[in-house]
Amino acid sequence: MASSGYNTPESQLESIVPVHPTSARRPHAITVQSENVSFTDEHITSKFVNRGSKVNVVDGQYIVTPVAQEIEFQTQRKVSKTGLMMIGIGGNNGSTLCATILANRHQITWHTKEGLQTPNYIGSLLRASTFSLGADANGQDINVPVSDILPMVHPNDLVLGGWDISGVPMDKAMSRSKVLDYDLQRQVAPHMALLGKPLPSIYYPDFIAANQEARADNLIPGEDKQAHLERIRADIRKFKKDNELDRVIVFWTANTERYADIIPGVNDTADNLLNAIKNSHSEVSPSTVFAVAAILENEPFINGAPQNTFVPGAIELSEREKSFIGGDDLKSGQTKLKSVLAEFLVNAGIKPLSIASYNHLGNNDGQNLSAERQFKSKEISKSSVVDDMVNANRLLFKAPAPGEKGKGEHPDHIVVIKYVPAVGDSKRAIDEYYSEIFCGGRSVINIFNECEDSLLATPLILDLSILAELLTRVQYRKEGEKEFSPLYSVLSLLSYMLKAPLVKPGTEVINSLNRQRNALEAFLKACIGLEGSSDLLLETRLCRLVPYHLPLLVIQLAVQSACLF
């Protein structure tokens, strides 16, 4: 019987509307015909030439040397059966993610004032965005969903679980969050109830706002941080075994913590951090305990909040254990737009003088951020987003003097967050960009943005988790090496979804949204033997069009004889 949208369908067959394209299942249908790639039932193996340039500056002269390195990638085609364990599963993001996956899995339709609504994964880079594979015989771009480039976990297949300091069952947690339409909540509630209540979590009051204490009724007892670590590790192992999983992604989507102090001898090395946990040192945060537990269980850990979970000792431990980590802080609205607009202004030769960002919201995240130390963590992650764009243009912004510490000339940049309970999850953001233009002129751009905070953040959790699983199946070897090796432990390829991307220590942080997306596209294509997309479009800039299907020698001759645009 077809569903009217008023009852919960028992299967996808009952829905009266087709599955949304972002939720549809598709077989991996891309085959690259090239000597640089081979496809077997087990692996996709590709050869990729990583090209770049080395630059030496001598007496004001730039000496540029092109460099190239051949790298071979091998991707396991079989997708892992994957679980997603969220810390803070009962919060707005966690409960919304569970409910929307269940709505998609069971194809639950619901009514709003706009009409019948279909579940989907709009807002997900992987499920709702495309990359170009190339052009067809007519020169038209062929675009495919990002999730189709390589075999990836379907969000509907994620096994859900996690921890929360609040013991409210998941159906009640969804209701408490007040994010989803009532008609969807009503229908998905029986499925949410089957998830039960979250696992008990750890609670160190000094790290989150005092206003969260009333929710903290579902705790692992005691103050022994080593015991807490072992309990979390046991939870991960049990969840993995009970659900017959190949992989578990552990994801922090709980409250923002204050920054932990970096103390020599405490959290500066892997061994010191492990010893600090054993001694229950006060500067070991809950999120770091969870991160260490995941690292020691060799399961990826992603930090979706702005605090410094990955103290130097945690990064060193992940390197030593060859486990994967990623972070920090979900980039969903205001900061994502800022990383685009600031880049646009600087790249257009316009000089931002100040960027003032204000937002208010009324969900539990906003309440926690109303405390000064927790807000400071968020302020730090939001404020660094324009740094690399400013550093790239020293025509507009003066570099620091030789020997001088600091950023050099930089736009005035302030961030304000206020807690307004009445607006709930509907966040308001106001940004002003005040810039210098031609010959002393001034330009002001004001932007007002209203959005459902958790409905923007939830698809990012999915993207980060699915990409993390994929990257555990990718290995590489450089020219001359016999064995394949896993990728580096810090998954900087996740940067597109994060405000303050975690990168390999000593390397440059890239905040430009376009560069982050281009890097991910180039990497995924490299794994199937393709070059990243080129906007050169040389065939459109010649006096005579050179068809793609001509042999290389003919193309070379044609280019030599053609007049350039």
Side-chain angles (χ1 to χ4, degrees), residues 538-544 558-565:
L538 186 61
E539 68 278 5
T540 70
R541 310 186 196 283
L542 305 177
C543 291
R544 290 188 289 279
V559 171
Q560 290 170 4
S561 62
C563 59
L564 292 176
F565 179 74

Side-chain angles (χ1 to χ4, degrees), residues 348-351 396 435-443:
I350 295 171
K351 182 179 181 178
L396 297 178
S435 304
E436 179 180 350
I437 57 175
F438 189 56
C439 290
R442 295 293 186 267
S443 166

Side-chain angles (χ1 to χ4, degrees), residues 24-39:
R25 293 182 183 274
R26 294 174 295 271
H28 187 247
I30 297 174
T31 301
V32 178
Q33 296 179 332
S34 168
E35 61 183 10
N36 292 325
V37 64
S38 64
F39 290 77

